């Protein structure tokens, strides 16, 4: 009887406990975890819920799904702590309180960031893929590449899929020099106008990753045939309270930099600054121009050679801050400074002879010296409003940018001799001083709205207005050769103008995600109004308007969790900038005269691309095929004509000169194949290659045609050694590239770098060298035109060796948050004397 009573008592107690547990209050947690930069869902992150007073006992353990979503019931009330962790990511810790009767805790959208802090006593043997692909872009993780410790951004670009940088540092994206560049999702006029100089001067250790946006959707400005390069700096994406100091010295100069992040409550501030001094060794150049076809008394052959030497500096800095008003509202601000200056001297010899003979017609020696500066200063503010509906977002943005530039150059002529019939021609040469200044100031207003419709549809729309004022003052001063008098202002050959360029744009896009399929459709309308007024000089005032409708489409199919297939179509445009439109006749060099064309229209390019990607821990591959065509491309047309045929030229002599202008007469067809391969042979060995092949067919004015193949290959290996040593070897080469009126040169380069980490990887020392077996490289190029052929050569050093050092202090605990949408003005085609490959 006692046993039965005891059993009955135990059953009652157990039943009471079970009933009490079932009656205990529960609540539900939910949210979505996204990558802070790509806005993609973070799959399989581990979530742990504990009571604050008992952190060792987990109440619930769960993981996010493939889209980063999580939802689960949790028992109890009071104070809780949620911890979210994922391999290679910074841990997220959230304290929260649940009162009696509360049924739901919605964390909304949470953002997870890459972890840069070191794991004590843990050896990570898996290598993180350097490249990943999305439906519309390829991303190269510069920060995780050891070569970034010693290389410039320009050198790192050679590793980026779909990008080529030749031996003369000309940049192409998808085989086109018509692309745009912006930094941290925001444009920069100076970056677009001088991409080669800027990226050559930027240390790669200040860059987090580089995105190649191959299929720009309707939210992007329509400019840029090849695509868009988005360079994300470390300063903008740095997670934590930290500071890093770096320095470098080489045979080309020296530099240093620092960046850091601090956080106080809801306010986070990040700042970065870099300075580089460049001392370029003397370089040499030369060539010849030969008359072909009909030879007259005004014909001449030219032989020329010279040398130049220069030095300069480049500096860049940025500051970004974010303030979380609440979980749904974010304000972010930014300020940036880019720029530098150059000083150079040169000497050139020119000899003209009668075609087919050695009879001298004239000769002279010209000396030159110049100094220039170029800066870009910008600031912006973004307001982002999220909603309780996931992925619904509204953004308002404002941006201001100013880009002052100055130049001051002197040209003097000596040892001048001319045959009797050519004396008048040579008298057109004067000692010159050109003193110029340019500035662009623009204000941009933008609004964007994105909302999901159901579970698989997304709509986006936006509007943008740019007010851009350009001004230029180029004063030309002359004095008679051989005199010691003062320079006298030549108003006829000087030029002062104001260029107002307003752009109104609106776009709408549609996105679809169904299981393994994702797609996007979009259309963008842009109206451009340009007014040019000349205050001084020979230019005529003119107005020019453009209206462009730009469609785009892309579709992706996820073959596996690691591989995908993508197809896209997009139309891109080129608006001719002031360099192309300006009808000012530049005759400062009497043998080579040029002017713009105010009647140009927007250039339109259509492209189709197909890509395959497969990224695993062992093997990464990205293959892309692309076909594009343009029927009204803007081409520079160069002819040899009598100077009496050039309208507006003063004091013509009847001699033959080169005359260049621009026309919408180009037709081009491009077919290309590109491949990126990365093989992690072991946990310490990485072997990689970036390959690009392109077939080009071009047509121009006066029956000009050209076609041919161009091949680019970049490859290398990286080896990690015991005791935190690492070594890298890289080689690259390129066949001659094709132009409408000729072809460029082939190149072959190589480089070696070694780095060693100390103090738990807080201190890194690097030594680097490239092209160390041969001091000089000598590329050549040739062009053909109506009445002439021209061959040119250059001789300059690409030999580089030096050391760099970086040291990090602090721990990583915070991040500057950024609005998911912001302003990016990438709408103007570069031109004229602007270097590099253009920019977008």
């Amino acid at each position: 009887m006692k046993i039965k009573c005891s059993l009955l008592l135990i059953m009652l107690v157990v039943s009471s406990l079970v009933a009490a547990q079932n009656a205990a209050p529960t609540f539900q947690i939910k949210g979505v975890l996204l990558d802070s930069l790509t806005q993609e869902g973070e799959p399989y992150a581990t979530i742990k819920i504990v009571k604050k007073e008992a952190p060792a006992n987990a109440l619930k353990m769960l993981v996010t799904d493939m889209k980063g979503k999580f939802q689960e019931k949790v028992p109890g009330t009071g104070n809780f702590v949620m911890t979210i962790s994922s391999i290679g990511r910074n841990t997220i810790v959230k304290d929260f309180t649940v009162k009696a009767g509360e049924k739901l805790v919605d964390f909304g959208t949470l953002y997870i960031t890459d972890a840069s802090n070191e794991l004590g006593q843990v050896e990570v043997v898996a290598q993180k893929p350097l490249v990943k692909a999305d439906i519309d872009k390829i991303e190269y993780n510069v920060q995780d590449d050891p070569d970034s410790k010693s290389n410039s951004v320009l050198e790192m670009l050679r590793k980026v899929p779909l990008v080529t940088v030749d031996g003369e540092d000309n940049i192409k994206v998808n085989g086109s020099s018509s692309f745009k560049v912006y930094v941290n999702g925001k444009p920069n006029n100076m970056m677009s106008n001088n991409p080669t100089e800027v990226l050559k001067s930027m240390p790669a250790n200040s860059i987090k990753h580089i995105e190649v946006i191959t299929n720009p959707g309707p939210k992007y400005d329509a400019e840029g045939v090849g695509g868009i390069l988005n360079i994300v700096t470390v300063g903008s994406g740095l997670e934590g309270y930290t500071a890093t100091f770096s320095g470098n010295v080489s045979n080309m100069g020296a530099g240093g930099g620092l960046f850091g992040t601090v956080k106080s409550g809801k306010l986070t501030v990040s700042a970065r600054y870099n300075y580089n001094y460049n001392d370029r060794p003397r370089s040499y150049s030369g060539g010849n121009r030969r008359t072909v076809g009909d030879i007259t008394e005004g014909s001449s052959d030219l032989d020329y050679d010279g040398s130049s030497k220069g030095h300069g500096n480049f500096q860049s800095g940025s500051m970004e801050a974010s303030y979380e008003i609440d979980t749904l509202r974010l304000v972010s601000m930014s300020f940036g400074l880019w720029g530098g200056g150059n000083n150079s001297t040169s000497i050139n010899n020119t000899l003209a002879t009668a075609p087919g003979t050695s009879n001298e017609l004239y000769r002279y020696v010209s000396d030159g010296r110049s100094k220039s500066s170029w800066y870009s200063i910008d600031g912006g503010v973004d307001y982002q409003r999220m909603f309780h509906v996931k992925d619904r977002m509204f953004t308002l943005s404002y941006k201001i940018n100013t880009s002052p530039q100055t130049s001051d150059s002197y040209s003097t002529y000596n040892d001048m001799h001319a045959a009797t019939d050519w004396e008048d021609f040579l008298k057109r040469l004067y000692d010159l001083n050109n003193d110029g200044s340019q500035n662009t100031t623009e204000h941009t207003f933008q609004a964007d709205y994105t909302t999901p419709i159901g579970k698989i549809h997304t709509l986006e729309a936006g509007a943008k207005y740019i007010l851009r004022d350009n001004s230029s003052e180029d004063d030309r001063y002359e004095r008679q050769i051989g005199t010691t008098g003062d320079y006298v202002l030549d108003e006829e050959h000087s030029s002062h103008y104001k260029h107002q360029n307003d752009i109104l744009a609106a776009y709408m896009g549609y996105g679809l995600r169904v299981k393994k399929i994702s797609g996007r459709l979009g259309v963008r309308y842009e109206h451009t109004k340009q007014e040019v007024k000349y205050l001084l000089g020979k230019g005529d005032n003119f107005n020019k308007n453009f209206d462009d409708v730009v469609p785009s489409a892309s579709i992706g199919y996820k073959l596996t969790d690691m591989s995908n297939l993508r197809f896209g179509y997009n139309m891109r445009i080129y608006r001719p900038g002031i360099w192309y439109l300006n009808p000012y006749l530049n005759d400062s060099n009497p043998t080579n005269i040029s002017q713009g064309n105010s009647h140009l229209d927007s250039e339109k390019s259509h492209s189709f691309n197909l890509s395959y990607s497969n990224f695993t821990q062992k093997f990464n591959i990205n293959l892309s095929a692309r076909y594009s065509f343009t029927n009204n491309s803007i081409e520079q047309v160069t002819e040899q004509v009598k100077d009496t045929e050039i309208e507006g030229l003063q004091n013509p002599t009847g001699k033959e000169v080169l005359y260049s202008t621009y026309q919408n007469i180009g037709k081009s067809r491009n077919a290309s194949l590109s491949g990126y391969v990365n093989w992690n042979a072991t946990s310490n060995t990485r072997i990689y290659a970036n390959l690009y092949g392109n077939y080009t067919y071009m047509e121009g004015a006066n029956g000009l045609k050209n076609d041919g193949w161009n091949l680019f290959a970049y490859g290398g290996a990286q080896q990690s050694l015991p005791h935190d040593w690492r070594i890298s070897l890289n080689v690259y080469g390129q066949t001659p590239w094709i132009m409408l009126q000729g072809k460029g040169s082939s190149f072959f380069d190589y480089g070696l770098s070694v780095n060693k980490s100390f103090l738990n990887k807080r201190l890194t020392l690097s030594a680097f060298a490239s092209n160390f077996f041969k001091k000089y490289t000598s590329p050549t190029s040739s062009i053909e035109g109506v009445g002439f052929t021209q061959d040119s050569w250059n001789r300059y050093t690409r030999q580089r060796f030096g050391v760099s050092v970086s040291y990090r202090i602090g721990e990583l605990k915070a991040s500057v948050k950024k609005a998911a949408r912001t302003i990016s003005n990438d709408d103007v085609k570069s031109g004229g004397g602007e270097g590099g490959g253009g920019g977008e």
Side-chain angles (χ1 to χ4, degrees):
M1 187 67 181
K2 289 183 178 180
I3 294 175
K4 291 181 178 180
C5 290
S6 298
L7 290 174
L8 181 60
L9 182 61
I10 291 172
M11 292 176 64
L12 290 172
V13 171
V14 171
S15 298
S16 299
L17 291 174
V18 171
Q21 185 174 7
N22 290 335
T26 62
F27 62 93
Q28 189 177 72
I29 63 168
K30 64 179 293 189
V32 60
L33 184 65
L34 302 181
D35 182 283
S36 65
L37 293 175
T38 66
Q39 309 293 309
E40 296 174 347
E42 180 75 8
Y44 307 126
T46 301
I47 301 177
K48 178 182 178 182
I49 307 293
V50 301
K51 292 285 286 189
K52 194 166 187 178
E53 59 269 21
N57 300 322
L59 293 177
K60 281 289 181 178
M61 296 286 292
L62 60 148
V63 295
T64 59
D65 64 14
M66 286 297 294
K67 296 182 179 180
K69 295 180 179 179
F70 61 91
Q71 186 169 334
E72 187 63 72
K73 286 186 176 181
V74 180
T77 59
N79 298 320
F80 296 85
V81 178
M82 179 177 70
T83 304
I84 305 177
S85 58
S86 184
I87 296 175
R89 301 292 211 165
N90 286 315
T91 300
I92 297 175
V93 179
K94 290 284 186 181
D95 294 343
F96 64 98
T97 300
V98 177
K99 298 178 182 179
E102 278 193 76
K103 297 298 183 182
L104 176 65
V105 177
D106 188 350
F107 290 97
T109 302
L110 302 173
Y111 296 95
I112 196 165
T113 56
D114 287 340
S116 301
N117 51 306
E118 310 302 333
L119 303 176
Q121 307 302 317
V122 176
E123 180 182 4
V124 180
V125 296
Q127 295 190 17
K128 184 178 180 180
L130 288 177
V131 174
K132 66 178 182 179
D134 197 359
I135 188 173
D136 58 356
K137 67 182 178 182
I138 297 290
E139 179 184 305
Y140 188 86
N141 193 331
V142 176
Q143 194 175 40
D144 284 348
D145 190 326
D147 286 348
S148 66
K149 302 295 187 296
S150 57
N151 284 349
S152 68
V153 177
L154 188 73
E155 290 166 326
M156 295 302 296
L157 268 182
R158 293 190 171 98
K159 294 188 177 186
V160 178
L162 307 177
V163 178
T164 62
V165 184
D166 67 20
E168 292 183 326
D169 297 334
N170 298 306
I171 307 168
K172 291 186 178 181
V173 177
N174 277 319
S176 173
S177 59
S178 308
F179 61 93
K180 290 294 180 181
V181 180
Y182 54 92
V183 180
N184 299 326
K186 298 181 180 180
N188 183 292
N189 289 334
M190 188 276 299
M191 178 74 82
S192 296
N193 293 341
N194 305 276
T196 295
E197 292 301 319
V198 173
L199 298 180
K200 186 188 298 183
S201 302
M202 286 183 68
N205 61 12
S206 65
I207 301 302
K208 188 173 184 65
H209 64 260
I210 297 174
E211 296 174 349
V212 185
I213 303 175
T214 53
N215 291 310
K219 66 182 178 181
Y220 295 99
D221 290 332
E223 192 81 12
V225 170
I228 298 173
L229 285 182
N230 182 31
I231 298 174
V232 180
T233 63
V234 172
S236 67
L238 184 65
E239 298 85 28
Y241 177 84
T242 186
T244 299
F245 305 88
S246 62
N248 65 83
V249 60
S250 72
N251 62 317
M252 298 288 190
L258 60 91
F259 58 81
T261 298
V262 295
K263 180 177 174 63
S264 177
K266 295 183 177 181
L267 177 66
T268 305
V269 179
S270 175
R272 176 185 59 83
Y273 178 78
N274 285 95
Y275 176 87
N276 269 13
Y277 172 78
N278 303 302
D279 188 8
R280 300 189 301 272
R282 184 169 293 277
S283 61
Y284 304 87
S285 62
N288 63 74
R289 189 193 78 201
R290 297 290 180 257
T291 301
V292 296
D294 295 335
I295 297 176
T296 68
E297 293 181 353
S299 302
S300 63
D301 288 347
L302 290 183
D303 290 272
Y304 49 89
D305 63 80
S307 67
S308 63
K309 191 179 188 312
H311 62 87
N313 67 84
F314 170 80
Q315 55 185 321
S316 67
S318 64
M319 178 177 292
E320 296 187 337
S322 65
Y323 183 78
E324 296 177 83
I325 301 173
D326 52 37
T327 57
L328 297 178
R329 293 179 294 173
L330 172 71
V331 175
S332 58
M333 296 147 283
S334 64
F335 171 81
L337 167 69
W338 307 77
N342 290 294
N343 290 271
S344 64
T345 59
S346 64
I347 183 170
N348 293 279
N349 303 290
T350 301
L351 172 66
T353 56
T357 73
S358 58
N359 298 330
E360 180 179 313
L361 300 178
Y362 64 86
R363 72 171 187 268
Y364 61 86
V365 178
S366 59
D367 296 307
R369 71 182 190 275
S370 66
K371 62 179 180 180
S372 62
S373 68
W374 30 269
Y375 287 93
S376 181
I377 305 168
D378 61 65
V381 59
D382 300 293
Y383 170 75
Q384 177 177 284
R385 174 71 161 87
M386 306 295 290
F387 298 86
H388 291 292
V389 177
K390 179 183 177 295
D391 294 332
R392 179 174 293 171
M393 179 176 59
F394 177 68
T395 307
L396 286 174
S397 302
Y398 167 73
K399 180 176 181 293
I400 182 172
N401 176 274
T402 182
S403 302
Q405 302 181 46
T406 65
S407 61
D408 191 15
S409 63
Y410 290 82
S411 299
T412 58
Y413 297 90
N414 306 290
D415 192 23
M416 300 177 64
H417 298 274
T420 303
D421 293 343
W422 289 81
E423 288 179 346
D424 289 342
F425 181 79
L426 215 58
K427 284 181 180 178
R428 294 180 57 198
L429 291 176
Y430 293 87
D431 287 349
L432 295 178
N433 167 219
N434 285 93
D435 186 5
S437 64
Q438 299 84 37
N439 188 44
T440 296
T441 300
E442 63 182 24
H443 302 268
T444 306
F445 305 87
Q446 182 170 319
D448 299 279
Y449 180 70
T450 302
T451 184
I453 300 178
K455 295 183 178 180
I456 63 174
H457 308 282
T458 303
L459 283 179
E460 60 179 0
K464 181 177 185 178
Y465 188 57
I466 306 174
L467 295 91
R468 180 179 294 134
D469 290 319
N470 307 295
S471 62
S472 175
E473 296 186 6
D474 188 5
D475 290 319
R476 171 168 156 172
Y477 298 85
E478 298 180 353
R479 71 177 181 188
Q480 294 293 329
I481 295 174
T483 67
T484 58
D486 295 331
Y487 286 92
V488 178
L489 176 65
D490 180 3
E491 292 190 2
E492 185 69 19
H493 290 88
S494 298
S495 176
H496 293 190
Y497 65 80
K498 291 185 178 296
H499 174 207
Q500 183 177 346
N501 185 10
D502 291 355
I503 300 170
L504 175 64
Y507 73 89
M508 179 169 289
Y510 166 74
L512 173 71
R513 284 186 182 271
V514 182
K515 296 182 180 180
K516 294 185 177 182
I517 298 176
S518 59
R520 294 176 185 171
L521 287 172
V523 64
R524 184 180 183 91
Y525 167 76
E526 295 187 352
H527 172 74
T528 306
K529 178 183 178 182
Q530 300 195 65
E531 294 183 358
V532 178
K533 294 182 179 180
Y534 286 88
L535 309 178
L536 182 65
K538 294 182 290 186
D540 295 324
N541 297 345
F542 65 91
N543 299 334
K544 188 71 176 180
N545 294 336
F546 301 103
D547 287 284
D548 297 291
V549 177
V550 183
S552 62
S554 58
I555 187 170
Y557 181 74
K558 193 172 186 178
L559 301 172
T560 68
D561 287 343
M562 300 295 181
S563 62
N564 61 71
L565 193 66
R566 307 177 304 279
F567 175 77
Y569 159 79
N570 66 79
M571 171 185 163
R572 307 296 288 166
I573 67 173
Y574 261 170
R575 293 185 191 88
I578 187 63
W579 282 100
Y580 291 86
L581 296 170
N582 190 353
Y584 172 73
L585 188 68
N586 184 356
D587 61 347
S588 57
N589 182 346
T591 66
N592 199 334
I593 298 171
S594 62
Q595 69 178 146
N597 179 2
S598 60
H599 301 292
L600 293 175
D601 291 322
S602 292
E603 175 183 321
K604 298 175 176 63
S605 174
H606 304 265
S607 68
F608 303 85
N609 57 81
L610 178 66
S611 300
Y612 167 78
S613 300
N614 187 54
F615 301 126
T616 67
Q617 290 292 342
K618 195 75 174 177
F619 190 78
N620 304 328
I621 184 171
N622 183 81
L623 302 174
S624 298
R626 187 173 190 265
Y627 174 76
S628 64
F629 66 92
T630 305
N631 291 325
N632 69 330
S633 64
I634 299 171
E635 301 290 348
Q636 185 178 44
V637 180
T638 302
E639 301 175 310
Q640 184 162 290
V641 300
K642 290 184 178 181
D643 60 8
T644 52
E645 299 176 12
I646 302 176
E647 185 178 353
L649 181 67
Q650 291 187 336
N651 304 317
T653 62
K655 307 303 183 185
E656 292 183 353
V657 299
L658 291 187
Y659 171 68
S660 300
T661 188
Y662 301 96
Q663 296 181 24
N664 282 106
I665 43 75
K667 291 186 178 181
S668 65
R669 305 289 184 268
N670 290 276
S672 64
L673 292 172
S674 66
Y676 171 84
V677 178
N678 184 91
W679 176 39
N680 297 326
T682 71
S683 60
N684 295 314
T685 306
R686 188 196 301 271
I687 300 171
Y688 48 86
N690 186 24
L691 311 170
Y692 185 86
N694 181 64
Y695 174 77
T696 301
Y697 173 82
M698 292 179 285
E699 292 182 11
N702 303 311
L704 288 174
K705 295 182 180 180
N706 202 4
D707 70 302
W709 281 94
N710 169 243
L711 302 176
F712 172 90
Y714 185 100
Q718 295 171 350
Q719 179 66 46
S720 297
L721 303 171
H723 308 296
D724 292 328
W725 285 89
R726 184 166 289 178
I727 186 171
S728 297
L729 174 65
N730 300 299
V731 297
Y732 89 90
Q734 177 176 285
T735 62
W737 46 280
I738 307 301
M739 301 179 293
L740 175 61
Q741 292 184 250
K743 63 180 180 179
S745 180
S746 59
F747 295 94
F748 177 77
D749 275 16
Y750 53 88
L752 180 69
S753 66
V754 179
N755 63 63
K756 172 75 168 72
S757 297
F758 303 89
L759 304 177
N760 198 25
K761 296 188 178 181
R762 291 180 178 273
L763 174 65
T764 301
L765 297 178
S766 301
F768 50 90
S770 60
N771 302 299
F772 36 83
F773 290 125
K774 186 178 180 181
K775 183 176 182 180
Y776 286 99
T777 185
S778 301
T780 61
S781 63
S782 61
I783 63 173
E784 297 180 5
V786 175
F788 77 99
T789 63
Q790 184 168 300
D791 297 303
S792 301
W793 58 266
N794 290 278
R795 184 170 178 261
Y796 52 86
T797 182
R798 292 187 58 82
Q799 193 177 78
R800 181 172 176 262
F801 47 84
V803 296
S804 64
V805 59
S806 67
Y807 180 67
R808 176 175 59 84
I809 62 175
E811 297 298 332
L812 308 179
K813 298 175 183 176
S815 63
V816 172
K817 293 191 175 182
K818 299 173 66 177
R821 295 290 177 89
T822 187
I823 290 173
S824 48
N825 294 344
D826 40 24
D827 55 84
V828 179
K829 178 174 181 178
S830 304
E834 297 165 349
E840 175 161 21

